[in-house]
Amino acid sequence: MAMISLFLIFLLHAVTVVTADLRPGFYRSTCPDAESIVRAVMKRALIREPRSVASVMRFQFHDCFVNGCDASMLLDDTPTMLGEKLALSNINSLRSYEVIDEVKEELEKTCPGVVSCADIIIMAARDAVALTGGPDWEVRLGRLDSLNASQEDSNNIMPSPRANASALIDLFKRFNLSIKDLVALSGSHSIGQARCFSIMFRLYNQSGSGKPDPTIEPCFRQKLNKLCPLNVDQNITGDLDATPRLFDNQYFKDLVAGRGFLNSDQTLFTFPYTRGYVQLYSTDQSLFFKDFVNGMLKLGELQSGRPGEVRKNCRVVNGQSDDLMLE
């Protein structure tokens, strides 16, 4: 933990909030249909597989926390670079990359070389929320795509499902995100699913006790035991809240009732500094929506200031695909 903390302190010098180049309507003159194209593809993805839009929404978190919002997480591995897709928090967890590929393909047909993959992630995350019943908001755009990725950085920064509220507060604080931001943004788990892998320790060996997490409501624990028995394929998934296809405040109601799926979620209610916000959002959905939007805007402003480009293919830096074909 000490080593991770030192890394995060170092990282704070590399990732800052830079808003001068980000603004609403950034593509109004260069690609006026950009946002409508992204939303149309997200609508199709929602119809094909409802879970996919929740998966895409998570990209903003996994991208922006690791060296800023620069689409580094979309880069495939190369012979000289280990990308972030196989990082500990991403492997067998992040999915639906093909939705971003589809968005990029549509945008390249309409306005080639204009809309960055980093901005696509931001727009798609917003659309995932809006299309499932949550708030809609005006996004600030104008990001560039990174020229590299770092599996090591992702491993060091992204929290695990075992993380508790105290560790999450520490992480968010280093990015100038408040306790309120942490709880509101955790509401992203209002939609989607997570794997049995992420909760096996809660069910059978919490804190090395050989017993289940005592904070899990008994009937809910029985349900989870049936979903995730000891011999289960740990890639089996369960709903993150009782309304996994609807973006609402049910997630917080579930936490109050002891029905949080992930340890990192349930501790938001058991930890004194976060408990009040959980209770507040469980009774005031409008306030949750307002604070969630503010948190997403703040998260989307994390930038590294490193050189970048607008990738033609979100999986590779420009020119790289041609180089690999020649090898």
Side-chain angles (χ1 to χ4, degrees), residues 196-211:
C196 287
F197 172 81
S198 299
I199 64 167
M200 296 302 284
F201 73 98
R202 288 193 75 201
L203 295 178
Y204 304 107
N205 191 29
Q206 178 77 338
S207 301
S209 66
K211 299 178 181 179

Side-chain angles (χ1 to χ4, degrees), residues 69-104:
C69 310
D70 60 3
S72 60
M73 58 151 289
L74 298 178
L75 288 173
D76 288 339
D77 290 354
T78 73
T80 58
M81 181 196 75
L82 286 178
E84 296 163 26
K85 290 181 178 178
L86 298 183
L88 296 175
S89 64
N90 299 343
I91 187 172
N92 295 324
S93 179
L94 288 189
R95 55 192 297 281
S96 300
Y97 295 104
E98 69 280 357
V99 176
I100 299 297
D101 293 336
E102 185 178 348
V103 172
K104 184 60 174 174

